[in-house]
C-alpha cells in the first residue's frame, strides 16, 4: 500500500476538520477557529491519530463530548463527529433548537439512515436553523487504527461483538444478525477509507463465513450503483488507485483458542496483558515513594499516571515486539547514552568557565572549537530532554511490567505454556504449578490449565480432570471456563493448535542471578532470561497459505469472493492464480498482540526470502 491505513484515516479526519475540504499546504495562513463535538466512538477514533496540538493547529479551540453540558458559542462553527444513533440524533436536534453555534457541519462515523436525516431536517426547520446546517457527511470511519498496519473495531461496544457474544449458547438469530451487521459495517468503512475492493477468503461453517457473505453483498451493492459508488474516481483520490487488489482473510477465533490465553514475553503484548492499556495509552498507579504514612493517618492515595505509546516514539517502534529482557537491557543502554551526553555538556561548560579564569588568554582556535562544541550541545538540548522523557516513560512502564512478572512468576508460566503448545518435555507437573500459592493469580492458573486442556493430544481422563478441577477450586478459580472448553472440544471439528507450532518455543539462557550491570534500573534477579524462537501461529500459516496460493489442506476448502464480479456464482468466478502482494487479516471473535506480532515477524521473513530469490533469479 502506498499509504498505510493509519495515514489514510488521519488524512480523512484532517479533511473533515477542514470543513471537508483538502487541508491547505500553506501553514502560515491562520485556520478558521471552530469547535469539535464528538461522542465516545468519535473520541476513540481520533485520540490514537491526532494529538491535541494537531487539533489546535487545525483551528479546533474546544473539543467537547456531545452529551456533556455545553454553553452556547453563537459566533463559532461546530464540527460534529458522531455515530448516527437515536440518542445522538436527539441531542443534535436539541442543539439546533438551542441555537448553540453559528453553523453546523454534521459528520457521521457510519452512514446515517434517511429517517434519521429527516428527523434532523425537521428539528432544523422548527428551530428556524435550516441555513445554519451547512454540510452533512457520511465519513465511513467506523474503525480504530492503532498502528500503521493494525486496526480494531469499536472500543465502546466491544462486548457486543466479542467472542462471548458470538458464541453464547442462548444467542437469538436476531442478535447474531445484529452482531454480524455491526462487524460488516466497520469492515466496509475500513475498505472505503483504504479505497480498494478486496478478494475475500474465509473458512466454511462459522461466524467468519457469515461476515464474508454479508461483506461481499454490501460491497457488490455499492459497486452496482456506479454513480454513487464509494469506490469510483469521483469519491477517491487518484493516489488511492492500485492495480494490485489486497487479499482479505477472515479467520474465526475458534481456529485457535490457545494463543489468546497464552502468557506472553514480548513488550507490547505484556503491557496489554498485565497493565491497563487501551488505544495506545497505558495507565498505571504512580509510585508514591518508600516513606510510610504517619501512624493513624490516612494512607496516601495512589495517583494514576498515563503514558501515550505512539509512532513518534522510536524506542517503542523498535522494541515493542522484542522479548522483555532485551527491552530492559535496551532501556538501560539508552539511559547510559543519555547520561554520557549530559555529562559532555556539563564538561564543556566547566572547561570554558575554568579556562577563562585559571589559564589566562586561550588560543582563538581552542576557544572557537569549544564554543562550537558547546553551541552544538546546547542546540541538542531539546532533543536530549525528549530522549530523557521517553527513557523515564519506558523505565516506569518496564518496571511496572517487571513487578508483575516477578510477583506472578510469569516467566515460569510463559516457558511452561510454550512447552505445552510445542509438545516438548515437561520438567514440572502441572498440578505442582497450580497448587503453588506463590505462582500467579487464580486467572493465571486457569489460563495455564486451559492451554493444557485445549492442546492435549490425548483426551484428559475424567479422574485426572476431577483432580485438576479440585486443585483449581482450592486456589479460588471459577470452573465455568473449563466447562465451556469441555463442551467446545466435544463439538468442534478443528484442532485448536497447529501440529507444527514449532519445537521448543523458548531457549532458556539461565537466570538473571544479579543486576544486569552496575547501576541498572532493573533488578532481574530470579527472572528467567528466555529467548524467543520464531513460531508459525495458525493465523500466520493460513494467511500465507492463501496469500501465496499454496496448497494447504486447511485452506483448500476456503470460500472465495470477488465483489467486483457482479454476475455469476462463486464456482464460476475466475480466481487469481498469482500470489497476492498485500493481505489483510481479520479475526472474528478478537485477535491479540501475540498474533499481530507473529504476522509482522512472519511478513519480514517472507519478504526477505522473496527478495533473496528474486536477486538469485537475476544472476
Amino acid at each position: 500500500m502506498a499509504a498505510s491505513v493509519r495515514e489514510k484515516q488521519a488524512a480523512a479526519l484532517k479533511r473533515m476538520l477542514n470543513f471537508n475540504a483538502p487541508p491547505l499546504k500553506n501553514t502560515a495562513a491562520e485556520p478558521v477557529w471552530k469547535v469539535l463535538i464528538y461522542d465516545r466512538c468519535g473520541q476513540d477514533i481520533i485520540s490514537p491519530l491526532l494529538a491535541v496540538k494537531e487539533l489546535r493547529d487545525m483551528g479546533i479551540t474546544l473539543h467537547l463530548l456531545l452529551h456533556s453540558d455545553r454553553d452556547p458559542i453563537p459566533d463559532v462553527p461546530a464540527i460534529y463527529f458522531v455515530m448516527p444513533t437515536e440518542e445522538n440524533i436527539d441531542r443534535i436536534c436539541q442543539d439546533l433548537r438551542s441555537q448553540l453555534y453559528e453553523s453546523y457541519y454534521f459528520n457521521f462515523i457510519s452512514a446515517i439512515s434517511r429517517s434519521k436525516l429527516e428527523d434532523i431536517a425537521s428539528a432544523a426547520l422548527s428551530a428556524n436553523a435550516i441555513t445554519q446546517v451547512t454540510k452533512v457527511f457520511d465519513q465511513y470511519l467506523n474503525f480504530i487504527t492503532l498502528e500503521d498496519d493494525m486496526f480494531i473495531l469499536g472500543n465502546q461496544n466491544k462486548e457486543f461483538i466479542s467472542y462471548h457474544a458470538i458464541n453464547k449458547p442462548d444467542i437469538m438469530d436476531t442478535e447474531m444478525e445484529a452482531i454480524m451487521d455491526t462487524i460488516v459495517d466497520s469492515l466496509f468503512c475500513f475498505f472505503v477509507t483504504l479505497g480498494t475492493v478486496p478478494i475475500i477468503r474465509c473458512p466454511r461453517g462459522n461466524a467468519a463465513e457469515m461476515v464474508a457473505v454479508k461483506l461481499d453483498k454490501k460491497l457488490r451493492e455499492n459497486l452496482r450503483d456506479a454513480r454513487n459508488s464509494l469506490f469510483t474516481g469521483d469519491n477517491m483520490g487518484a493516489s488511492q488507485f492500485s492495480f494490485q487488489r489486497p487479499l482479505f482473510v477472515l479467520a474465526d477465533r475458534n481456529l485457535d483458542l490457545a494463543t489468546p490465553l497464552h502468557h506472553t514475553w514480548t513488550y507490547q503484548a505484556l503491557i496489554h496483558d498485565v497493565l491497563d492499556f487501551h488505544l495506545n495509552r497505558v495507565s498505571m498507579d504512580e509510585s508514591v515513594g518508600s516513606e510510610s504514612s504517619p501512624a493513624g493517618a490516612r494512607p496516601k492515595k495512589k495517583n494514576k499516571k498515563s503514558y501515550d505509546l505512539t509512532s513518534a516514539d522510536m524506542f517503542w517502534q523498535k522494541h515493542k515486539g522484542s522479548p522483555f529482557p532485551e527491552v530492559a537491557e535496551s532501556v538501560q543502554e539508552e539511559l547510559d547514552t543519555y547520561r554520557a551526553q549530559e555529562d559532555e555538556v556539563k564538561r564543556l561548560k566547566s572547561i570554558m568557565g575554568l579556562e577563562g579564569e585559571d589559564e589566562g588568554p586561550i588560543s582563538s582556535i581552542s576557544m572557537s572549537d569549544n564554543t562550537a562544541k558547546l553551541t552544538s550541545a546546547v542546540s541538542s538540548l531539546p532533543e536530549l530532554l525528549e530522549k530523557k522523557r521517553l527513557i523515564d516513560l519506558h523505565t516506569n512502564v518496564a518496571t511496572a511490567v517487571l513487578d508483575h512478572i516477578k510477583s506472578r512468576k510469569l516467566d515460569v508460566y510463559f516457558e511452561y505454556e510454550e512447552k505445552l503448545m510445542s509438545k516438548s518435555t515437561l520438567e514440572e507437573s502441572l498440578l505442582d504449578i497450580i497448587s503453588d500459592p506463590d505462582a500467579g493469580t487464580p486467572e493465571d492458573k486457569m489460563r495455564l490449565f486451559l492451554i493444557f486442556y485445549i492442546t492435549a493430544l490425548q483426551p484428559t481422563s475424567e479422574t485426572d480432570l476431577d483432580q485438576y478441577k479440585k486443585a483449581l477450586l482450592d486456589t479460588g478459580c471459577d470452573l465455568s471456563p473449563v466447562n465451556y472448553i469441555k463442551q467446545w472440544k466435544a463439538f468442534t471439528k478443528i484442532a485448536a493448535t497447529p501440529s507444527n507450532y514449532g519445537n521448543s518455543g523458548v531457549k532458556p539462557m539461565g537466570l538473571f542471578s544479579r543486576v544486569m550491570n552496575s547501576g541498572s534500573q532493573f533488578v532481574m534477579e530470579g527472572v528467567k532470561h528466555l529467548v524467543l524462537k520464531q513460531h508459525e501461529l495458525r493465523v500466520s500459516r493460513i494467511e500465507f497459505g492463501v496469500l501465496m496460493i499454496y496448497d494447504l489442506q486447511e485452506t483448500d476448502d476456503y470460500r472465495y469472493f470477488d465483489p467486483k464480479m457482479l454476475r455469476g456464482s462463486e464456482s464460476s468466478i475466475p480466481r487469481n492464480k498469482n500470489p497476492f502482494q498485500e493481505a489483510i487479516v481479520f479475526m472474528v471473535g478478537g485477535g491479540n498482540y501475540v498474533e499481530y506480532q507473529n504476522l509482522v515477524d512472519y511478513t519480514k521473513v517472507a519478504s526477505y526470502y522473496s527478495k533473496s530469490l528474486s536477486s538469485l533469479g537475476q544472476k
Side-chain angles (χ1 to χ4, degrees), residues 530-602:
L530 304 169
V531 178
L532 286 171
K533 289 178 73 175
Q534 186 63 43
H535 289 316
E536 186 186 51
L537 293 182
R538 186 166 198 139
V539 67
S540 299
R541 192 167 80 252
I542 287 170
E543 188 228 350
F544 279 91
V546 180
L547 181 71
M548 304 305 291
I549 323 291
Y550 291 153
D551 288 329
L552 284 180
Q553 189 176 352
E554 61 189 313
T555 59
D556 277 349
D557 196 36
Y558 270 42
R559 292 191 66 179
Y560 184 101
F561 299 91
D562 185 349
K564 280 195 172 183
M565 305 298 290
L566 300 180
R567 291 183 178 81
S569 63
E570 184 183 344
S571 57
S572 65
I573 292 175
R575 298 197 177 194
N576 184 357
K577 299 294 183 185
N578 299 316
F580 291 87
Q581 298 300 309
E582 298 167 0
I584 298 152
V585 180
F586 182 79
M587 182 68 77
V588 179
N592 53 73
Y593 280 107
V594 178
E595 288 168 329
Y596 162 67
Q597 192 59 49
N598 192 254
L599 280 167
V600 169
D601 293 343
Y602 211 67

Side-chain angles (χ1 to χ4, degrees), residues 202-308:
C202 71
R204 295 175 186 270
N206 51 32
E209 184 182 22
M210 294 171 70
V211 171
V213 170
K214 280 181 171 286
L215 180 61
D216 176 61
K217 183 184 176 187
K218 193 171 178 99
L219 288 166
R220 281 170 189 268
E221 286 173 354
N222 190 266
L223 289 166
R224 195 172 280 123
D225 183 1
R227 285 190 305 168
N228 297 314
S229 174
L230 296 160
F231 298 94
T232 56
D234 292 339
N235 295 300
M236 291 164 41
S239 62
Q240 289 180 302
F241 283 109
S242 171
F243 291 108
Q244 281 287 347
R245 291 168 63 194
L247 171 71
F248 184 46
V249 182
L250 278 156
D252 193 280
R253 184 69 275 164
N254 283 311
L255 289 170
D256 177 8
L257 276 183
T259 301
L261 294 167
H262 186 21
H263 289 87
T264 183
W265 200 234
T266 55
Y267 192 32
Q268 186 178 39
L270 264 170
I271 290 171
H272 184 254
D273 191 6
V274 303
L275 301 179
D276 180 11
F277 185 50
H278 295 289
L279 304 179
N280 293 344
R281 172 171 290 183
V282 58
S283 302
M284 55 195 202
D285 292 327
E286 196 174 14
S287 54
V288 291
S290 56
E291 68 274 7
S292 57
S293 303
R298 282 184 183 176
K300 289 186 179 178
K301 189 179 178 182
K302 288 187 177 180
N303 297 322
K304 275 278 184 184
K305 187 78 174 172
S306 295
Y307 301 104
D308 290 319

Side-chain angles (χ1 to χ4, degrees), residues 325-345:
E326 283 182 25
V327 174
E329 288 172 2
S330 298
V331 171
Q332 188 59 43
E333 286 168 11
E334 290 283 328
L335 186 59
D336 293 342
T337 306
Y338 166 77
R339 283 174 177 163
Q341 289 173 308
E342 191 180 42
D343 291 344
E344 178 65 13
V345 174

Side-chain angles (χ1 to χ4, degrees), residues 327-592:
V327 174
E329 288 172 2
S330 298
V331 171
Q332 188 59 43
E333 286 168 11
E334 290 283 328
L335 186 59
D336 293 342
T337 306
Y338 166 77
R339 283 174 177 163
Q341 289 173 308
E342 191 180 42
D343 291 344
E344 178 65 13
V345 174
K346 289 177 183 174
R347 190 183 68 80
L348 282 169
K349 283 182 179 177
S350 172
I351 288 174
M352 292 194 75
L354 287 172
E355 283 183 342
E357 289 174 17
D358 300 342
E359 310 226 351
I362 7 176
S363 71
S364 59
I365 297 172
S366 173
M367 176 60 102
S368 165
D369 186 40
N370 280 326
T371 303
K373 282 183 180 177
L374 185 60
T375 304
S376 171
V378 170
S379 65
S380 68
L381 273 177
E383 189 184 325
L384 268 180
L385 289 170
E386 176 61 11
K387 192 173 186 179
K388 178 68 166 66
R389 184 188 72 82
L390 293 175
I391 290 168
D392 288 345
L393 183 161
H394 288 288
T395 300
N396 292 339
V397 171
T399 301
V401 171
L402 180 59
D403 289 344
H404 279 275
I405 291 173
K406 291 165 79 171
S407 65
R408 291 162 56 183
K409 297 188 178 178
L410 296 183
D411 51 333
V412 174
Y413 278 94
F414 169 70
E415 185 180 23
Y416 199 91
E417 287 164 6
E418 285 279 308
K419 288 178 178 177
L420 280 174
M421 294 168 81
S422 57
K423 312 295 184 289
S424 302
T425 308
L426 303 171
E427 296 168 5
E428 191 176 357
S429 87
L430 181 62
L431 270 175
D432 289 345
I433 296 179
I434 292 173
S435 305
D436 184 353
D438 298 325
T441 63
E443 184 183 299
D444 292 325
K445 296 173 193 293
M446 178 56 74
R447 284 166 63 177
L448 173 64
F449 174 74
L450 290 177
I451 289 170
F452 160 76
Y453 194 34
I454 290 167
T455 59
L457 293 174
Q458 300 297 325
T460 310
S461 69
E462 285 298 321
T463 308
D464 289 344
L465 190 57
D466 289 342
Q467 198 175 359
Y468 287 124
K469 280 183 174 181
K470 183 180 182 305
L472 289 166
L473 273 174
D474 291 344
T475 61
C477 291
D478 175 9
L479 295 183
S480 303
V482 180
N483 299 332
Y484 173 76
I485 293 296
K486 188 176 180 181
Q487 292 172 347
W488 176 82
K489 281 187 70 117
F491 287 109
T492 189
K493 297 175 183 177
I494 308 161
T497 298
S499 55
N500 64 337
Y501 182 83
N503 298 321
S504 179
V506 289
K507 185 180 177 186
M509 300 291 284
L511 294 177
F512 282 112
S513 56
R514 55 183 176 78
V515 177
M516 282 183 295
N517 57 40
S518 57
S520 171
Q521 299 287 309
F522 303 100
V523 183
M524 301 286 283
E525 187 171 353
V527 177
K528 296 189 178 187
H529 189 178
L530 304 169
V531 178
L532 286 171
K533 289 178 73 175
Q534 186 63 43
H535 289 316
E536 186 186 51
L537 293 182
R538 186 166 198 139
V539 67
S540 299
R541 192 167 80 252
I542 287 170
E543 188 228 350
F544 279 91
V546 180
L547 181 71
M548 304 305 291
I549 323 291
Y550 291 153
D551 288 329
L552 284 180
Q553 189 176 352
E554 61 189 313
T555 59
D556 277 349
D557 196 36
Y558 270 42
R559 292 191 66 179
Y560 184 101
F561 299 91
D562 185 349
K564 280 195 172 183
M565 305 298 290
L566 300 180
R567 291 183 178 81
S569 63
E570 184 183 344
S571 57
S572 65
I573 292 175
R575 298 197 177 194
N576 184 357
K577 299 294 183 185
N578 299 316
F580 291 87
Q581 298 300 309
E582 298 167 0
I584 298 152
V585 180
F586 182 79
M587 182 68 77
V588 179
N592 53 73

